[in-house]
Amino acid sequence: MRWALVKVCLAVTAMVVVAFAVPLGLVVQEMASDRAFSNAERQAATIGPTLSITTDPGQLRRAVESTEMGAAQRMAVHVPPVGGGTAVEIGAGWAGSHAVDETRRLGRAMTVPLARGGSALLQPTALGSGDIAVVEILVPEREVSNGVATAWLVLAGVGLALVVGSVAVADRLGARLVVPAERLADAAHQLGEGRLGARVPEAGPKELRSAAVAFNSMADQVVELLANERELAADLSHRLRTPLTVLRLNTASLGDGPAAEQTRAAVEQLEREVDTIIRTAREQRATGAAGAAAAAGCDASEVIRDRMAFWSALAEDQGREVRLAGVDRTVRIPVARPELAAALDALLGNVFRHTPEGTAFAVDVHDAGDAVIVLVSDSGPGIDDPDAALRRGNDGGRDGSTGLGLDIVRRVAEGTGGDVRIGRSVLGGTEVRLWIALDDRARGGGARGGRERRGRRKRRGGWWATGAADGQPT
């Protein structure tokens, strides 16, 4: 469309330039010709007073030579025989005797084109005796076209400037129309590919601004719908995991017998089904929706306080001592609230699932400037193979473990350019460190940035000591 607008403007401007420049050039050419012949007539008139007084050849020759045209040998005087005398010819003639006789007969000026170029102006002049003398002026071609070429060049330059200017203006106007349309089309493609953070600047003509507003509103509604869907998935996790954990713990006290085994098997089957539902819901979410929600971020302290309030009831029932630190101030992170809540539930669920009742645990939040560190530690038996626990789908050979929990935590961290590591806590058990990067440059690095950061931290210290017990997180 942009090139089509330029071509239309180019064609219109070219027609306007031709319509005005060509007639104007012809007028300039005609004016130059009139100027040359008018000057020749004035020069011919200068010899008229002398002819009205005398026809003496000597006096006429001196009078002719005293004029501008005579001095340039461009004037001739043709005097007919007067009173029985002879004809007088001053200067060389160019038009010929026939043209002179025709001028004398008609009694008006004539212009005769010359074969060698240029023209001759024949001007009749009355003598004192009543006869007619003819003054002939040579008009060269250069005087007839004097300034015409320059005028044509100027007109051509002006016309070219107008064409170029019109093309430039049309291109700018086309860009004002096309660029917003291209942005809208590009954003639509991005939205179709699942990048729900795509938005369109509300710029350009009124119609395109309205389209951009409608598109942005539609995209916001899509993001809101997906966020509600994620909230439902997270709510499912919150509502079902804790009761399942309680049921699983209670089945341990049922003793032996067919009914007890069937109950335990049913609980395990239900837990596997819930894990499958949650896993499917998370794996099917669009990458763009996660990016749009992460761009808004959340307050890590507020989310941790909320989830700890949820888990504290179960901790009190099991006699677990809970410590919470670093959540007394706002800590913004580039992670969507449902994502962080799901990661915390996975970590805290591991504590309840893989440590005995009465085991103390703690959640600490540290703001490291370029990152936020969330520590979940316990005083349990620890983990014998931290690297294996972080591999997706690893169940550690334990019943009811799907390997999904820590994979959710890892993806939340690596989505910001951070990482997750497992080590020995100060409480004596397991410490899971969730490193959430805040530096925008780190986010572009993805998992690679996380691996480089892990290497640097590993060289700085030895907090990654592994445990020696058989607990294995999910």
Side-chain angles (χ1 to χ4, degrees):
M1 185 172 72
R2 184 175 181 177
W3 177 235
L5 183 61
V6 170
K7 290 192 291 185
V8 169
C9 191
L10 177 63
V12 171
T13 306
M15 288 189 293
V16 171
V17 168
V18 170
F20 283 91
V22 172
L24 186 59
L26 296 176
V27 169
V28 170
Q29 184 174 350
E30 186 67 23
M31 290 176 62
S33 178
D34 291 343
R35 184 175 60 249
F37 285 104
S38 296
N39 183 53
E41 289 177 357
R42 287 194 302 271
Q43 294 293 329
T46 59
I47 200 66
T50 304
L51 287 173
S52 64
I53 296 173
T54 181
T55 58
D56 181 67
Q59 292 180 1
L60 287 177
R61 184 172 287 104
R62 286 192 297 269
V64 169
E65 292 175 353
S66 64
T67 63
E68 179 183 351
M69 291 296 178
Q73 297 184 354
R74 290 171 50 189
M75 178 184 288
V77 178
H78 307 279
V79 181
V82 179
T86 60
V88 178
E89 297 288 340
I90 306 298
W94 299 277
S97 58
H98 176 72
V100 172
D101 294 340
E102 185 69 16
T103 301
R104 187 177 290 120
R105 184 182 66 82
L106 295 175
R108 57 183 176 82
M110 290 180 56
T111 301
V112 179
L114 302 179
R116 60 180 184 178
S119 302
L121 175 66
L122 302 176
Q123 179 70 42
T125 302
L127 301 176
S129 61
D131 294 318
I132 301 298
V134 177
V135 180
E136 184 177 359
I137 303 294
L138 176 64
V139 182
E141 186 64 30
R142 64 177 182 274
E143 289 192 3
V144 175
S145 60
N146 184 29
V148 174
T150 303
W152 278 109
L153 288 176
V154 171
L155 290 174
V158 171
L160 181 62
L162 289 175
V163 170
V164 173
S166 67
V167 169
V169 171
D171 183 71
R172 290 301 88 202
L173 292 176
R176 187 171 179 269
L177 295 174
V178 173
V179 171
E182 290 178 346
R183 289 174 180 169
L184 184 60
D186 182 64
H189 285 301
Q190 293 183 32
L191 188 64
E193 293 171 357
R195 287 176 281 177
L196 301 183
R199 295 295 184 274
V200 182
E202 298 174 5
K206 179 180 179 181
E207 293 77 8
L208 290 177
R209 287 200 305 269
S210 300
V213 170
F215 177 87
N216 292 339
S217 177
M218 177 193 67
D220 291 338
Q221 291 179 8
V222 171
V223 171
E224 184 178 355
L225 290 174
L226 291 177
N228 292 336
E229 183 179 342
R230 290 195 303 275
E231 288 288 347
L232 291 175
D235 185 66
L236 176 66
S237 173
H238 299 163
R239 291 177 181 272
L240 296 182
R241 275 195 176 278
T242 300
L244 286 174
T245 301
V246 174
L247 286 175
R248 184 175 181 81
L249 294 175
N250 290 339
T251 55
S253 62
L254 295 179
D256 298 330
E261 292 298 330
Q262 290 177 1
T263 302
R264 282 191 284 268
V267 171
E268 292 175 359
Q269 177 65 27
L270 180 59
E271 193 170 18
R272 284 194 295 270
E273 293 296 334
V274 170
D275 287 336
T276 300
I277 294 173
I278 296 173
R279 184 187 339 214
T280 302
R282 292 191 179 280
E283 288 181 350
Q284 287 181 348
R285 82 186 194 281
T287 303
C298 67
D299 179 7
S301 298
E302 190 272 333
V303 176
I304 292 173
R305 289 195 301 267
D306 177 71
R307 300 318 305 152
M308 286 300 294
F310 177 83
W311 288 95
S312 60
L314 182 59
E316 184 178 355
D317 292 341
Q318 296 185 2
R320 297 175 182 268
E321 181 181 353
V322 181
R323 182 176 64 85
L324 187 61
V327 295
D328 54 345
R329 65 183 185 279
T330 300
V331 180
R332 300 293 303 182
I333 59 174
V335 177
R337 177 188 175 90
E339 300 293 332
L340 180 60
L344 289 171
D345 286 340
L347 294 176
L348 295 174
N350 283 338
V351 173
F352 283 88
R353 181 176 300 179
H354 299 299
T355 61
E357 293 187 11
T359 301
F361 67 95
V363 178
D364 300 273
V365 180
H366 301 280
D367 190 350
D370 64 340
V372 171
I373 304 171
V374 179
L375 299 177
V376 178
S377 54
D378 61 64
S379 59
I383 300 175
D384 58 348
D385 191 354
D387 291 334
L390 289 172
R391 288 197 293 269
R392 177 177 176 83
N394 181 62
D395 60 4
R398 296 180 59 88
D399 294 336
S401 177
T402 63
L404 176 64
L406 283 180
D407 182 67
I408 294 174
V409 178
R410 178 182 56 79
R411 285 191 287 111
V412 168
E414 291 184 353
T416 68
D419 60 8
V420 176
R421 296 296 282 181
I422 301 175
R424 173 71 68 180
S425 73
V426 296
L427 300 179
T430 301
E431 177 184 84
V432 180
R433 178 169 296 204
L434 174 61
W435 184 285
I436 300 174
L438 300 180
D439 189 353
D440 289 339
R441 292 171 296 180
R443 297 177 201 173
R448 179 181 177 185
R451 288 194 296 270
E452 294 175 351
R453 207 170 291 105
R454 288 198 295 269
R456 292 196 296 269
R457 289 198 295 274
K458 191 170 183 179
R459 290 192 292 271
R460 284 201 298 265
W463 61 273
W464 297 128
T466 59
D470 60 353
Q472 186 75 20
T474 61

